[in-house]
């Protein structure tokens, strides 16, 4: 590596109690037009750095063994004071432990004494480069934070950290959870109330987390905001922005190979007309939950904005129930869920409805991208206490009809996800619920689907607002049947396990309902009182 | 790994069969074979015992297919007109046996694990 001498006033601080070493360092670096300040102890070096400022230097080289404080102590002090300054430690031959310790204290390189002038020059050049890169990055982060603030002011949306923020918007209750990697760019969302019973919301993700991504995110949100105010149609807005990216931004980017894309999903909910409409361009599809229909996704996903023209319309529309919940997330949540071996709906719930018993910091430490999830509920009726609270989906999966032999694997997945959502659920209660799910799924696969691979069985789990009622809905593609619990065990033949399964489910579930001739089973379990009982004995 | 064992106790008047682990849809076929093998063993088939104990204390889960296997074992043993007792340690398994009225065909005892 060669030293870059083009920069003016490049300064190095050399620290060693040995005057000969200091003089050698000074002479070698002076030949490269580098200015060298010297200190004979770590304490002297700290004084110099405090007085002149760490940003007055481009690298520090320090001996390990010195009277008083050691070189490692100096490195610790520097890393507490300025994380950008590149440092090098001088060690004796074979002092591997010192080298390892120095790296833990932020050193970017080491040199063994005695060293050759070329090695010194290379190490200094490396440290200077590290300093420069770190300072550039820090500057960029500061600018990104400023853009994030501007973004929020301009659009009223959010890209800053939010955890389980709930508020009422007309007849809708919205909950948002946003965990960005940076303050700007990345994931964003925005709600547009179109009346007390009509709402539109958008969430999206820009490729990259740099200044350009932050700018494009703010620009898109501004355009959407303006066009929605003017009554613009969602698909036309997306087509307009896609054209902008493809023809202007990415045409130029093709030269250097770095294209920009923006994934977005829009949802319109209209309670008076009773429909939901989804427009997805590269974003995960919105999930619509209702007790009557389970979880259904709306629309199909097309390519992200910025990839190609024309932008095809993959929007979809479906009827919604009087009470339900729409869940939308960006791909960062799906990636994190995969990493944690959790169902995305379970992770979405845990992040959106945090509590003392469900700490989320450990989960989020595994994320590599922005994570964002929105829950929009409707149908809360304070005037009718007979209605149960609104519920939120926490698990959804689909099993091919010929996979009954994988039931143990499925069971482990249910257990893991239920425990993530309800960590205080007593083991015996968990076992009861799991046994009922197992019976319902086995029944769906073996009898509903007849073991045929082209048919499937679907499961959705949901939890009410107070986490007191737990709903499990199992649907299969079969024609359905309904079997009463067995009456005479003595007469049961070995193949009549359906009766036994039904008896088991009716024993444990608070409520059991069959629909569509039994091809849909809805089980309700009471879990709330157990949670309350536990909370009195469990230390917080 | 041992899944089923059988031993004669109390001067050959008590036959005790132990099934190790859960009795569920994914292992009932294998358990069925083992149970058949064990019951065909010389000491068991020679008879002479009048009490049969089925030890399920290591089971944390028994599903409907598992119950079918238990049921078939119990019915087979009833032919010998023996007193039948099933030992269970897990409360959910115990409740499942009561819900499916297994207590009508055998004595169910919840023991401490």
């Amino acid at each position: 590596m060669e030293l870059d001498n083009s920069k003016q006033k490049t300064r190095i601080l050399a620290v060693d109690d040995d005057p000969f070493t200091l003089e050698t360092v000074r002479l070698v670096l002076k030949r490269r037009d580098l200015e060298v300040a010297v200190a004979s102890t770590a304490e002297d070096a700290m004084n110099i750095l405090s007085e002149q400022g760490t940003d007055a230097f481009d690298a520090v080289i320090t001996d390990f063994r010195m009277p008083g404080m050691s070189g490692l102590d100096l490195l610790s002090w520097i890393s507490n004071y300025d994380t950008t300054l590149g440092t090098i430690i001088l060690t004796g031959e074979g002092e591997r432990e010192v080298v390892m310790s120095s790296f833990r204290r932020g050193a970017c390189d080491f040199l063994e004494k005695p060293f050759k002038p070329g090695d010194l020059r290379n190490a200094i050049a490396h440290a200077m480069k590290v300093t420069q890169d770190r300072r550039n990055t820090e500057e960029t982060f500061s600018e990104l934070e400023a853009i994030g603030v501007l973004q929020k002011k301009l659009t009223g949306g959010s890209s800053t950290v939010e955890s389980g923020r709930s508020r009422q918007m007309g007849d809708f209750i919205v909950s948002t959870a946003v965990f960005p990697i940076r303050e700007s760019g990345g994931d964003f969302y925005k709600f547009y109330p179109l009346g007390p019973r009509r709402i539109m919301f958008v969430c999206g993700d820009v490729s990259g987390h740099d200044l350009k991504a932050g700018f494009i995110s703010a620009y898109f949100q501004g355009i959407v905001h303006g066009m929605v105010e003017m009554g613009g149609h969602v698909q036309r807005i997306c087509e307009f922005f896609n054209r902008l990216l493809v023809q202007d931004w990415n045409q130029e980017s093709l030269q250097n190979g770095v294209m920009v894309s923006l994934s977005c999903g829009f949802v319109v909910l209209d309670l008076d007309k009773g429909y939901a409409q989804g427009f997805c361009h590269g974003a995960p599809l919105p999930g619509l939950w209702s007790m009557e229909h389970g979880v259904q996704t709306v629309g199909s996903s097309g390519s992200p904005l910025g990839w190609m023209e024309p932008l095809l319309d993959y929007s979809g529309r479906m009827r919604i129930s009087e009470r339900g919940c729409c869940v939308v997330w960006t791909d960062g949540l799906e990636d994190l869920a995969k990493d944690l071996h959790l169902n995305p709906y379970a992770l979405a719930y845990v992040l959106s409805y945090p509590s003392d018993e469900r700490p989320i910091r450990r989960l989020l430490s595994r994320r590599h991208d922005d994570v964002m999830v929105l829950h929009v509920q409707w149908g809360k009726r304070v005037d009718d206490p007979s209605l149960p609270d609104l519920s939120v989906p926490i698990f959804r999966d689909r099993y091919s009809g010929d996979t009954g032999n994988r039931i143990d694997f499925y069971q482990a997945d249910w257990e893991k996800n239920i425990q993530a959502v309800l960590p205080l659920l007593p083991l015996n209660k968990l076992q009861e619920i799991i046994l009922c799910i197992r019976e319902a799924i086995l029944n769906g696969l073996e009898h509903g689907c007849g073991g045929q691979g082209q048919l499937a069985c679907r499961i959705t789990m949901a939890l009410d607002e107070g986490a007191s009622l737990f709903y499990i809905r199992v649907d299969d593609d079969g024609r359905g049947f309904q079997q009463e619990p067995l009456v005479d065990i003595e007469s049961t033949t070995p193949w009549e396990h359906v009766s036994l399964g039904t008896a088991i489910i009716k024993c444990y579930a608070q409520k059991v309902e069959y629909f569509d001739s039994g091809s849909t089973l809805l089980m309700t379990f009471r879990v709330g009182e157990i949670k309350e009982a536990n909370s009195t004995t469990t230390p917080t | 790994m041992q899944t089923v064992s059988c031993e004669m106790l109390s001067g050959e008047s008590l036959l005790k069969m132990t099934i190790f682990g859960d009795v569920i849809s994914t292992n009932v076929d294998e358990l069925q074979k083992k149970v058949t093998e064990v019951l065909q063993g010389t000491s068991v088939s020679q008879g002479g015992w009048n009490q049969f104990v089925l030890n399920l204390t290591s089971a944390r889960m028994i599903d409907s297919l598992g119950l079918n296997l238990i049921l078939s074992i119990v019915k087979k043993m009833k032919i010998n007109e023996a007193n039948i007792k099933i030992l269970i340690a897990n409360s959910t398994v115990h409740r499942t046996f009561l819900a499916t009225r297994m207590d009508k065909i055998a004595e169910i005892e919840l023991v401490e694990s």
Side-chain angles (χ1 to χ4, degrees), chain A residues 282-514:
Chain A
L285 295 173
L288 288 167
W289 152 255
S290 70
M291 215 76 91
E292 293 85 354
H293 302 112
V295 169
Q296 298 172 303
T297 52
V298 55
S300 310
S301 191
S303 57
L305 308 186
W307 278 20
M308 64 188 82
E309 281 196 279
L311 186 73
L312 300 178
D313 185 352
Y314 287 102
S315 65
R317 180 189 275 232
M318 65 169 57
R319 294 208 63 76
I320 54 173
S321 301
E322 284 184 16
R323 297 155 58 79
C325 178
C326 179
V327 192
V328 181
W329 56 64
T330 48
D331 54 4
L333 182 122
E334 288 186 349
D335 293 343
L336 181 60
K338 201 173 172 184
D339 212 28
L340 296 166
H341 304 288
L342 283 176
N343 192 277
Y345 283 93
L347 182 60
Y349 180 89
V350 171
L351 295 180
S352 290
Y353 303 94
S355 65
D356 289 345
E357 60 264 29
R358 288 191 300 267
I360 57 175
R361 189 180 297 175
R362 190 181 53 82
L363 300 177
L364 288 167
S365 68
R366 302 272 294 270
R367 80 188 193 279
H368 305 293
D369 196 359
D370 298 337
V371 171
M372 189 174 78
V373 57
L374 315 177
H375 285 86
V376 180
Q377 295 172 283
W378 64 92
K380 192 173 180 70
R381 293 273 302 277
V382 285
D383 56 321
D384 187 352
S386 67
L387 283 171
D389 282 342
L390 294 178
S391 52
V392 174
I394 61 150
F395 185 93
R396 182 199 187 213
D397 214 340
R398 177 187 181 278
Y399 309 121
S400 180
D402 59 355
T403 59
N405 57 348
R406 290 177 58 78
I407 193 81
D408 292 343
F409 173 77
Y410 300 152
Q411 181 178 318
D413 196 32
W414 308 326
E415 281 175 0
K416 186 178 169 97
N417 282 283
I418 293 173
Q419 283 181 312
V421 171
L422 293 169
L424 295 185
L425 190 69
L427 187 62
N428 64 331
K429 189 75 185 173
L430 175 68
Q431 285 175 340
E432 292 170 10
I433 293 172
I434 292 293
L435 181 59
C436 292
I437 302 174
R438 187 181 175 100
E439 292 301 333
I441 295 290
L442 274 176
N443 183 37
L445 296 175
E446 302 295 330
H447 299 279
C449 302
Q452 297 176 70
Q454 70 272 25
L455 300 181
C457 192
R458 289 166 298 281
I459 177 170
T460 311
M461 303 183 205
L463 202 57
D464 77 346
E465 277 176 290
S468 59
L469 291 177
F470 189 44
Y471 304 101
I472 298 163
R473 187 188 153 106
V474 175
D475 302 86
D476 67 59
D477 289 335
R479 286 177 296 174
F481 63 93
Q482 189 166 337
Q483 195 150 353
E484 287 303 310
L486 81 159
V487 178
D488 184 7
I489 188 88
E490 298 269 18
S491 65
T492 304
T493 54
W495 48 267
E496 282 183 322
H497 57 88
V498 177
S499 301
L500 292 169
T502 309
I504 291 169
I505 290 171
K506 291 208 171 181
C507 165
Y508 294 120
Q510 191 80 13
K511 192 173 170 189
V512 182
E513 296 164 271
Y514 292 96

Side-chain angles (χ1 to χ4, degrees), chain A residues 407-408 411 428 431-432 434-435 438-439 442 486-487 489-490 492-494 497 500-501 504 507-508, chain B residues 24-26 60-65 67-68 71 75 78 90-92 95-96 99-102 104-105:
Chain A
I407 193 81
D408 292 343
Q411 181 178 318
N428 64 331
Q431 285 175 340
E432 292 170 10
I434 292 293
L435 181 59
R438 187 181 175 100
E439 292 301 333
L442 274 176
L486 81 159
V487 178
I489 188 88
E490 298 269 18
T492 304
T493 54
H497 57 88
L500 292 169
I504 291 169
C507 165
Y508 294 120
Chain B
I24 49 180
S25 60
T26 39
R60 290 174 304 122
M61 175 175 275
I62 295 181
D63 66 12
S64 56
L65 284 160
L67 283 173
N68 266 333
L71 194 61
K75 282 185 172 180
K78 274 206 158 180
N90 182 285
S91 62
T92 303
R95 208 174 150 194
T96 303
T100 50
R101 299 171 197 170
M102 291 290 276
K104 303 283 181 200
I105 56 165

Side-chain angles (χ1 to χ4, degrees), chain A residues 72-182:
Chain A
L72 289 179
D73 296 328
L74 177 60
L75 291 185
S76 297
W77 184 86
I78 290 173
S79 66
N80 283 333
Y81 204 68
D82 181 353
T83 53
T84 64
L85 187 57
T87 51
I88 303 161
I89 190 118
L90 289 165
T91 66
E93 197 178 345
E95 289 185 309
R96 187 183 162 79
E97 278 307 309
V98 175
V99 173
M100 298 309 291
S101 298
S102 71
F103 284 140
R104 283 195 288 273
R105 287 166 167 80
C108 62
D109 212 339
F110 72 98
L111 268 181
E112 285 184 351
K113 284 181 175 178
F115 50 81
K116 293 175 184 167
D119 293 338
L120 173 65
R121 283 195 296 271
N122 284 342
I124 289 290
H126 178 223
M128 284 165 51
K129 174 83 170 51
V130 167
T131 305
Q132 193 180 351
D133 288 349
R134 285 175 181 170
R135 285 178 180 163
N136 286 344
T137 306
E138 193 171 72
E139 204 172 311
T140 306
F141 285 168
S142 305
E143 286 168 356
L144 281 169
E145 277 174 27
I147 284 187
V149 173
L150 183 65
Q151 218 169 298
K152 198 171 180 184
K153 274 186 185 167
L154 277 172
T155 63
S158 179
S159 62
T160 52
V161 175
E162 293 177 10
S163 177
R165 186 178 162 220
S166 290
R167 60 262 192 213
Q168 186 95 28
M169 286 187 181
D171 282 5
F172 301 93
I173 300 164
V174 304
S175 296
T176 51
V178 187
F179 304 96
I181 298 278
R182 302 274 175 263

Side-chain angles (χ1 to χ4, degrees), chain B residues 25-66:
Chain B
S25 60
T26 39
N27 67 5
V28 280
D29 290 343
E30 192 196 329
L31 287 175
Q32 175 74 64
K33 278 184 205 162
K34 290 279 177 195
V35 166
T36 307
E37 274 174 30
V38 165
L39 290 180
Q40 283 170 350
T42 323
S43 58
V44 177
S45 59
Q46 278 173 355
W49 42 272
N50 54 21
Q51 288 183 72
F52 176 71
V53 172
L54 181 58
N55 178 12
L56 299 172
T57 52
S58 62
R60 290 174 304 122
M61 175 175 275
I62 295 181
D63 66 12
S64 56
L65 284 160

